[in-house]
Amino acid sequence: MYVPVKGGEQAIDNAARLLAESRRGDPAVPELTLAQIEGQLAHAVDRVMAEGSLYDRKLAALAIKQARGDLVEAIFLLRAYRTTLLRFGASEPLDTRRMAIRRRISATFKDLPGGQVLGASFDYTHRLLDFSLAETGGPCPAAAKASQALPSDMPSIADILEREGLIEREPAESGGAVADLTREPLRFPAARPVRLQALARADEGFLLGLGYSTQRGYGNNHPFAGEIRHGMVTVEFVPEELGFAVALGEVELTECQMVNQFKGSAAQPPHFTRGYGVAFGHAERKAMAMALVDRSLRAAELGEEVTAPAQDPEFVLYHGDNVEASGFVQHLKLPHYVDFQAELVTVRDLRREFNERAAGRREAAE
Amino acid sequence: MAMPGIADAKLAPGFADPGRDSQRVFRAALAAMAEPGRIATLDLRLQPTPPLGLAQSALALTLLDFEVALWLDGPVAPAADYLRFHTGVRLAARPEDADYCLIAGPLPPLSSFKAGSEEEPEAGATLIVAVAGLLGDGPWRLKGPGLPHEGRLGVGGLPADFAAQWAQNQRAFPRGIDLFLCAGSRLVGLPRTLTIEG
Amino acid sequence: MPNRSKVPTPPAAAPGPGREAAGDARQEWLGVLARARNADLQMLWRDLPDKPSWTRLRGPESGLIMLRGRLGGDGRPFNLGEMSVTRCSVRLGCGRVGHGYVGRQDAWQAEVAAVLDGLLQEAASHQAAVAGIIGPLRRIEQDRRERASRQAAATRAEFFTVARGEA
């Protein structure tokens, strides 16, 4: 129970001003520009867009600046802002097979068609602090260029395994409306499209921990990173007035296809199943964790025993949103004066009864 | 899903300032439903697209979007493309499939519109109806939520048995439909909670 | 049926409008205008002679598009998250209507794209708009794609499996 508390207006105003000055930091140091955040803190921007559920690099950079680099706060700011905007409609489904590839690797086939494209990745660095970056103004490093561009068509790992019928196929069309968590509340049982929408905007740390738990045996699903691809995908939209699809631009996406063992059933021979992850920007950890959790949430559908948290849709989907989680955890900062007064009275009463009973026992023993 | 494109000739400007204008109209619509029977006049820079009147145009531009379905009767059917262009609204082929209905001809029986369900009464249709005239001191006596005293209203151009149909609508509460009656730039709200006598 | 064909990927060599169907050509130039960088379009627009007069029919207004993905990349659609979009529709002095879309918050570019869409549909102004705007934008975009793809291609690895016990 909350009671209105009056007063403190001056203190609140001053707290806001103190925040503004603290945000700016030392005035002798140049102020951050949004272009700097967008260009040089790209992964922070990616994460804020993914979990803020809004692809807009500039707005994400602004949110990061305003939140002083607190990414969960920035995500909250972006989510709040998007509620003020009109929605024009929904895009045509993105075609990640026609992605302009920046990076594409497979842990299952060393020589898959199109090749292993390492791209810009931390994976092949030594993870030693590079003190040369502590200085600014050094020469701008230049990337190498091959003489040929990459082939425009790179088959996905699923295409390759499908040729032998070794992997499950996804039915392509459902017809009908696509459920939308931003319009209708989460209900259970939640179908896979709803689960993927929730996972795509879920907290990366939460998914990472859950995905890890499946690898450690809490709902083990024997994953292989079939393919991870990162690059640019064209967004198409059919405006009312035109009646045909136009490109609105490109979005940077990371996609992960996990390939998982499935022992089969009476009706189906053994084959591979799929876990799927996709995230805005270059976000492999997120996409991989999402793919692990997507697969573990399919346990019941695939007739596997449901024993672990990562296999429980209610546990996962109700707790993965960091705007909700942060709000509920932090609401404990709000005044609970009356609740606590009631608790105090109760505890004092109970202690008095306890002491009286103890005194009674002592008397009886004497 | 997607419809054929829209002929260029049918495209005309909507609100001069979509953000502010739609907020003002929304506020007026809210007030009209909160005080049933009170006639409001929209003061707005908007060139209505024939055959829609100003209040009908303004309500449609404000309330419709791509997530709702609209049915238009014959006389206002030419406005379909204009509304698709500005709001992205889907068109319903039949009145019973529509969330919103724009009507300028004879009002079909109220039973032909979506009334929602006991679980989701908000799914009942909203009708935006052009009428021949609105009179503040007419023969209808109005009672219900939002009216501390009995209200009066006169409406020209509704079917003779409208009051009986309305009583039927009211008995279905919480299911039911809601009406906006429009005459030029004037509008009045008839929420399903309203009792009409006379 | 509406034309729901996929947007063509920008061709390596810029084709003349006579070589493609009118609908495809419009789809392509709308895409070029949507993907263009603001700074590139600013520069080209400034140098374009004979700018028309126009009135706004809708917008420019910023809003959202819900981006749809597919389960497993190829299955049923699901809602992935939203994207900023700005749109604008204008009527040129000659009566021609143009539409502009940009995949971010950019009122200026959406409006100029709409004006250019109008000019590109008019026989009298088509060539000048292609030569002054669309052609150069295509080349800039092509160069950017080519550069990014060749940089990625330079990181393509050939992995060898080392036989056990070897060395």
Side-chain angles (χ1 to χ4, degrees):
Chain A
M1 175 187 161
Y2 310 107
V3 285
V5 178
K6 291 175 83 167
E9 279 169 48
Q10 187 63 52
I12 289 169
D13 282 348
N14 289 346
R17 286 170 58 182
L18 180 57
L19 173 65
E21 192 189 306
S22 306
R23 175 188 296 123
R24 177 59 184 86
D26 182 352
V29 176
E31 186 178 349
L32 269 177
T33 65
L34 297 192
Q36 286 174 327
I37 296 172
E38 244 188 277
Q40 297 173 52
L41 296 177
H43 286 301
V45 169
D46 291 343
R47 180 165 177 200
V48 170
M49 293 195 304
E51 294 169 38
S53 207
L54 175 58
Y55 194 98
D56 188 314
R57 305 201 75 88
K58 191 179 254 175
L59 291 176
L62 173 62
I64 290 166
K65 180 175 178 178
Q66 186 178 335
R68 308 177 68 197
D70 179 337
L71 298 190
V72 176
E73 179 73 15
I75 288 158
F76 187 2
L77 291 171
L78 207 57
R79 287 264 192 101
Y81 178 75
R82 71 153 279 285
T83 65
T84 66
L85 296 174
L86 181 67
R87 195 191 279 181
F88 298 145
S91 78
E92 297 293 287
L94 299 171
D95 187 354
T96 53
R97 286 185 198 195
R98 300 199 316 152
M99 177 184 276
I101 297 284
R102 299 284 173 271
R103 169 167 160 83
R104 185 266 203 141
I105 53 167
S106 168
T108 49
F109 292 109
K110 73 178 165 59
D111 35 27
L112 76 171
Q116 305 266 1
V117 180
L118 306 187
S121 171
F122 298 125
D123 287 358
Y124 319 104
T125 63
H126 291 297
R127 266 64 182 239
L128 300 174
L129 272 181
D130 179 356
F131 287 95
S132 72
L133 290 173
E135 303 299 324
T136 57
C140 186
K145 275 193 290 195
S147 56
Q148 292 281 311
L150 290 169
S152 59
D153 185 34
M154 291 223 192
S156 84
I157 190 73
D159 297 338
I160 294 164
L161 288 168
E162 253 168 28
R163 284 179 208 149
E164 269 189 79
L166 290 174
I167 197 163
E168 64 178 339
R169 254 216 96 88
E170 298 286 346
E173 286 302 335
S174 61
V178 182
D180 184 357
L181 275 179
T182 68
R183 295 296 198 263
E184 308 119 40
L186 188 58
R187 287 200 183 101
F188 292 95
R192 195 164 166 220
V194 171
R195 300 200 303 255
L196 280 176
Q197 184 183 9
L199 296 179
R201 52 200 257 140
D203 185 82
E204 180 178 320
F206 181 78
L207 292 185
L208 183 66
L210 282 175
Y212 182 41
S213 75
T214 68
Q215 292 178 281
R216 291 196 65 257
Y218 292 86
N220 198 345
N221 54 34
H222 309 287
F224 292 92
E227 186 184 350
I228 293 159
R229 56 168 65 192
H230 160 233
M232 308 301 291
V233 178
T234 298
V235 176
E236 295 172 14
F237 174 66
V238 182
E240 285 295 322
E241 64 275 11
L242 291 174
F244 59 81
V246 295
L248 299 180
E250 290 181 309
V251 289
E252 188 183 354
L253 292 183
T254 306
E255 184 185 55
C256 173
Q257 302 273 359
M258 286 287 178
V259 174
N260 305 73
Q261 218 183 78
F262 179 57
K263 60 181 188 304
S265 62
Q268 289 179 297
H271 61 279
F272 293 107
T273 55
R274 294 153 74 174
Y276 184 67
V278 59
F280 289 159
H282 188 189
E284 288 174 27
R285 198 190 299 115
K286 165 82 184 237
M288 292 178 75
M290 176 174 169
L292 289 175
V293 176
D294 170 47
R295 176 58 182 80
S296 65
L297 289 177
R298 298 181 61 202
E301 165 204 339
L302 293 168
E304 296 166 344
E305 200 184 354
V306 175
T307 55
Q311 296 170 318
D312 177 347
E314 290 201 29
F315 180 82
V316 173
L317 301 180
Y318 272 142
H319 302 113
D321 188 281
N322 61 23
V323 176
E324 285 173 15
S326 171
F328 204 60
V329 167
Q330 296 205 66
H331 103 281
L332 292 173
K333 291 185 283 195
L334 292 172
H336 286 67
Y337 306 139
V338 174
D339 306 52
F340 191 67
Q341 280 301 319
E343 292 275 313
L344 267 180
V345 168
T346 307
V347 171
R348 282 179 185 139
D349 285 352
L350 291 172
R351 283 175 65 89
R352 196 175 55 244
E353 285 170 24
F354 175 88
N355 290 335
E356 282 168 7
R357 277 201 307 277
R361 278 200 299 276
R362 272 198 305 278
E363 274 171 30
E366 279 161 14
Chain B
M1 270 248 332
M3 310 272 295
I6 301 172
D8 290 353
K10 302 215 174 159
L11 303 181
F15 287 130
D17 182 349
R20 285 205 172 74
D21 290 346
S22 61
Q23 281 176 19
R24 284 172 57 203
V25 176
F26 188 80
R27 190 72 190 80
L30 213 56
M33 282 296 172
E35 286 181 74
R38 194 180 62 84
I39 298 170
T41 303
L42 292 177
D43 177 18
L44 207 63
R45 240 176 358 112
L46 171 69
Q47 189 63 50
T49 290
L52 297 179
L54 184 116
Q56 257 192 326
S57 271
L59 284 172
L61 290 174
T62 300
L63 298 176
L64 303 178
D65 68 20
F66 77 103
E67 287 174 304
V68 295
L70 172 71
W71 179 78
L72 300 113
D73 75 353
V76 288
D81 283 339
Y82 171 80
L83 294 173
R84 281 175 57 211
F85 175 61
H86 284 289
T87 69
V89 73
R90 285 178 285 126
L91 298 181
R94 304 176 308 173
E96 60 264 41
D97 299 327
D99 304 299
Y100 288 86
C101 299
L102 274 170
I103 296 158
L107 183 65
L110 293 182
S111 57
S112 44
F113 302 101
K114 218 161 70 164
S117 62
E118 295 284 330
E119 295 77 25
E120 293 179 327
E122 74 278 12
T126 300
L127 275 45
I128 304 170
V129 183
V131 294
L134 289 172
L135 187 65
D137 191 23
W140 283 0
R141 296 194 308 280
L142 309 178
K143 286 182 211 154
L147 292 172
H149 312 291
E150 189 178 86
R152 306 290 294 215
L153 185 68
V155 181
L158 287 179
D161 67 340
F162 179 81
Q165 285 192 51
W166 187 258
Q168 190 74 32
N169 182 51
Q170 216 207 350
R171 275 196 292 278
F173 189 85
R175 299 167 67 245
I177 59 168
D178 306 300
L179 259 70
F180 287 105
L181 305 178
C182 304
S185 62
R186 302 195 310 152
L187 71 107
V188 71
L190 303 184
R192 65 188 76 172
T193 50
L194 185 69
T195 306
I196 301 176
E197 288 168 9
Chain C
M1 274 299 289
N3 176 3
R4 303 292 294 278
S5 65
K6 292 291 173 187
V7 175
T9 41
R19 284 170 47 196
E20 351 180 0
D24 287 351
R26 191 170 181 205
Q27 235 178 3
E28 197 253 346
W29 77 54
L30 285 169
V32 168
L33 290 166
R35 289 187 297 263
R37 291 185 181 178
N38 180 294
D40 295 334
L41 187 57
Q42 293 257 10
M43 191 184 64
L44 297 167
W45 172 252
R46 201 180 50 218
D47 296 342
L48 185 79
D50 306 325
K51 294 188 184 65
S53 62
W54 70 88
T55 53
R56 293 171 176 177
L57 291 172
R58 184 182 67 190
E61 56 186 350
S62 285
L64 302 170
I65 299 281
M66 175 54 90
L67 296 176
R68 297 241 162 102
R70 287 187 179 280
L71 305 191
D74 53 3
R76 281 177 291 155
F78 74 95
N79 288 311
L80 173 59
E82 286 160 316
M83 175 191 190
S84 279
V85 173
T86 309
R87 67 180 179 186
C88 186
S89 300
V90 300
R91 189 183 293 280
L92 303 187
C94 64
R96 178 68 77 175
V97 170
H99 305 291
Y101 282 83
V102 187
R104 58 175 186 274
Q105 294 199 344
D106 191 334
W108 179 85
Q109 184 160 332
E111 184 159 12
V112 168
V115 173
L116 286 167
D117 177 44
L119 289 177
L120 284 157
Q121 293 174 72
E122 282 292 312
S125 50
H126 179 85
Q127 281 306 335
V130 169
I133 309 269
I134 299 299
L137 285 180
R138 269 197 205 119
R139 281 191 293 278
I140 293 168
E141 184 181 0
Q142 187 60 31
D143 287 351
R144 198 168 64 222
R145 282 170 182 270
E146 171 90 10
R147 180 185 143 83
S149 187
R150 283 172 58 193
Q151 286 183 336
T155 69
R156 184 147 52 167
E158 300 297 335
F159 289 128
F160 302 98
T161 311
V162 179
R164 302 232 167 149
E166 204 178 71

